[in-house]
Amino acid sequence: MDIRYFDNAATTKVKSEVLEEMLPYLKEEYGNASSLYSIGRKAKRAIEKARRQVAELINCNPEEIYFTSCGTESDNTAIKGIAKAYRKKGKHIITSKIEHPAILHTCQSLEKQGYRVTYLSVDENGKINLDELRRVISMDTILISIMTANNEIGTIQPIEEISKITKMYNIIFHTDAVQACGNIPIDVQKMGIDSLSLSGHKINAPKGIGALYIKKGIEFEKFIDGGHQENDKRAGTENVAEIVALGKACEIAKNNLENHMKYLQELRDYFIKQIEENVQDVKLNGDREKRLPGNTNFSFKGIKGETLLLKLDEIGICASTGSACSSGVEAPSHVLTAIGLSSELANSSLRVTFGEENTKEDASYLIKNLIEIVENLRKNK
Ligand code: PLP
């Protein structure tokens, strides 16, 4: 059975150019980047090239990039590291209710250590309210962390407006751009971002590599102690092959961004139009305009997202639901609940996220089958 993969927000396929670029560092170029002989120096040079490639994607200086093991580690390092470095200035952090667990659970962990965290609500499209943000800022606010784009509903936040507010109050601004980098233009200087997380496996590099941008001059305590790698900010022998892969993936993402966005937007809009025209009682979740190019998220009234997912899986289609099923209890997605959906509607959601591997033919196959599955499930209720 052919697999048709529509879960590109969960992870993406490694591009063959990316694999080609990293393979020598798993074979003959196995030197430790800290070693002084030739293959060590070669590894070091490869890391520094990758650092420039990542920096170019988001328009920062290469020295402001730190390689990590994933987006989650980048988020942990930024939030905990900045919070600890500035604890004498204050212990208040502001974030939103719809962040990824990499941010939410990190903030909860800091709350246990005496920090105060405000979780901003969002409107029905998933956008934060800038007036509420201004209102909750206090004398001891040290950090504001708002994701660039949401992983479930694709909503893009008004990052430049948020950063203007943070600048006005001299507060550090972190953004989790794991879903955004490589999918929409990101310019940390123009957008006024102080700290940003990105992850390799969302942009056609392998799993297990991430990067953190932290603007020069901003202090943060390191998250992993040990050797002096990454300018003494992230210990551990560098994962050279994966760093090289991330660098290549960023270079490709930068060069192809316009075409990539256009291609994904066309697939996304075709899918949305067909579903809205052909299926009754559906609701598109997330902002219609300010939305990631490849993201769709629909609630199908009266049908469990999980049932849809399993039916699609039977014919080789991979998608995702907004609900996480833990120990038999269906917990509705915190994101869908935050935009005002009832538990029932939240549990009836299906996320379809397109990637460059998908063709219009694939999308048509998905649409045809999804329409049939929904009709049959509703008929047989
Ligand atoms: N932040 C967001 C918005 C994400 O979507 C993800 C992954 O799904 C992460 C952070 C975590 O990234 P990683 O899987 O690289 O740890």
Side-chain angles (χ1 to χ4, degrees):
M1 184 169 55
D2 284 345
I3 293 292
R4 289 181 170 88
Y5 185 78
F6 298 101
D7 200 11
N8 288 277
T11 197
T12 57
K13 187 175 173 185
V14 176
K15 272 205 161 92
S16 50
E17 303 98 295
V18 170
L19 185 64
E20 288 299 308
E21 196 87 357
M22 76 183 278
L23 276 180
Y25 297 92
L26 292 171
K27 293 178 177 170
E28 61 273 20
E29 304 294 352
Y30 52 82
N32 184 320
S34 300
S35 302
L36 293 178
Y37 41 76
S38 62
I39 58 166
R41 292 200 305 272
K42 227 168 162 181
K44 175 97 183 129
R45 275 201 300 279
I47 291 176
E48 294 320 314
K49 178 180 171 192
R51 206 183 301 283
R52 286 193 297 278
Q53 289 165 316
V54 177
E56 273 168 23
L57 178 64
I58 61 169
N59 193 28
C60 68
N61 289 321
E63 313 87 76
E64 296 172 316
I65 294 291
Y66 303 90
F67 290 111
T68 64
S69 67
C70 56
T72 302
E73 187 193 325
S74 298
D75 280 336
N76 269 266
T77 307
I79 303 295
K80 290 177 182 161
I82 292 169
K84 286 178 184 165
Y86 289 87
R87 62 183 172 270
K88 291 214 174 84
K89 196 177 162 214
K91 284 193 158 185
H92 181 224
I93 297 166
I94 300 170
T95 187
S96 81
K97 286 185 180 158
I98 62 163
E99 300 292 312
H100 188 273
I103 295 286
L104 287 178
H105 294 170
T106 301
C107 286
Q108 285 159 14
S109 147
L110 285 174
E111 281 180 289
K112 289 189 193 122
Q113 296 170 46
Y115 288 82
R116 187 165 64 86
V117 182
T118 302
Y119 299 89
L120 297 176
S121 53
V122 292
D123 66 14
E124 69 279 11
N125 295 322
K127 281 218 195 100
I128 67 153
N129 180 321
L130 296 175
D131 287 331
E132 188 190 359
L133 172 61
R134 283 190 203 93
R135 255 199 323 275
V136 300
I137 289 174
S138 73
M139 293 291 284
D140 65 339
T141 309
I142 48 170
L143 176 64
I144 293 176
S145 178
I146 304 292
M147 69 201 317
T148 313
N150 184 266
N151 44 306
E152 289 188 34
I153 55 174
T155 300
I156 300 169
Q157 299 293 342
I159 293 299
E160 285 184 49
E161 275 124 299
I162 297 169
S163 87
K164 273 184 201 139
I165 297 171
T166 65
K167 297 283 160 305
M168 215 182 306
Y169 294 92
N170 199 19
I171 299 166
I172 297 166
F173 177 38
H174 172 75
T175 189
D176 174 342
V178 166
Q179 292 289 337
C181 274
N183 283 318
I184 56 170
I186 301 282
D187 180 329
V188 292
Q189 298 188 42
K190 193 168 141 242
M191 295 161 92
I193 297 166
D194 299 318
S195 165
L196 171 147
S197 301
L198 63 92
S199 174
H201 73 104
K202 310 288 184 182
I203 54 167
N204 306 103
K207 292 153 195 69
I209 183 71
L212 171 64
Y213 150 77
I214 297 216
K215 192 171 147 188
K216 197 165 175 227
I218 290 178
E219 287 166 39
F220 66 103
E221 280 190 13
K222 61 179 154 184
F223 185 56
I224 296 184
D225 289 306
H228 298 293
Q229 293 90 353
E230 294 299 288
N231 207 14
D232 217 8
K233 284 300 199 186
R234 199 277 185 179
T237 301
E238 297 90 340
N239 188 350
V240 185
E242 293 232 6
I243 289 173
V244 166
L246 177 61
K248 186 67 184 175
C250 286
E251 181 191 283
I252 296 172
K254 183 175 160 54
N255 293 339
N256 286 350
L257 191 58
E258 224 169 283
N259 288 339
H260 171 85
M261 286 177 63
K262 191 165 172 281
Y263 186 71
L264 263 52
Q265 260 159 19
E266 272 171 24
L267 287 176
R268 176 195 73 186
D269 295 343
Y270 170 59
F271 178 76
I272 291 177
K273 188 164 182 285
Q274 291 298 317
I275 295 301
E276 289 188 327
E277 281 180 6
N278 292 292
V279 187
Q280 281 182 349
D281 288 328
V282 287
K283 180 188 179 305
L284 178 69
N285 299 313
D287 198 281
R288 234 167 239 280
E289 306 296 324
K290 296 273 178 211
R291 177 178 206 108
L292 284 173
N295 173 286
T296 71
N297 186 314
F298 275 110
S299 285
F300 295 85
K301 203 170 168 213
I303 298 176
K304 282 204 170 126
E306 221 161 74
T307 311
L308 272 181
L309 201 73
L310 296 175
K311 288 274 175 208
L312 290 170
D313 182 45
E314 281 171 14
I315 51 167
I317 292 177
C318 309
S320 159
T321 88
S323 67
C325 193
S326 56
S327 58
V329 184
E330 268 181 32
S333 140
H334 69 288
V335 176
L336 298 179
T337 312
I339 62 171
L341 263 58
S342 63
S343 300
E344 199 209 333
L345 215 49
N347 281 335
S348 74
S349 86
L350 184 78
R351 180 184 74 176
V352 167
T353 47
F354 295 97
E356 280 179 29
E357 299 281 323
N358 298 132
T359 61
K360 186 146 183 208
E361 222 178 2
D362 287 335
S364 301
Y365 181 84
L366 165 65
I367 291 161
K368 178 179 157 287
N369 282 285
L370 185 54
I371 293 170
E372 272 176 30
I373 291 170
V374 171
E375 269 174 14
N376 285 337
L377 286 171
R378 283 186 174 152
K379 231 186 277 161
N380 298 328
K381 262 188 92 176

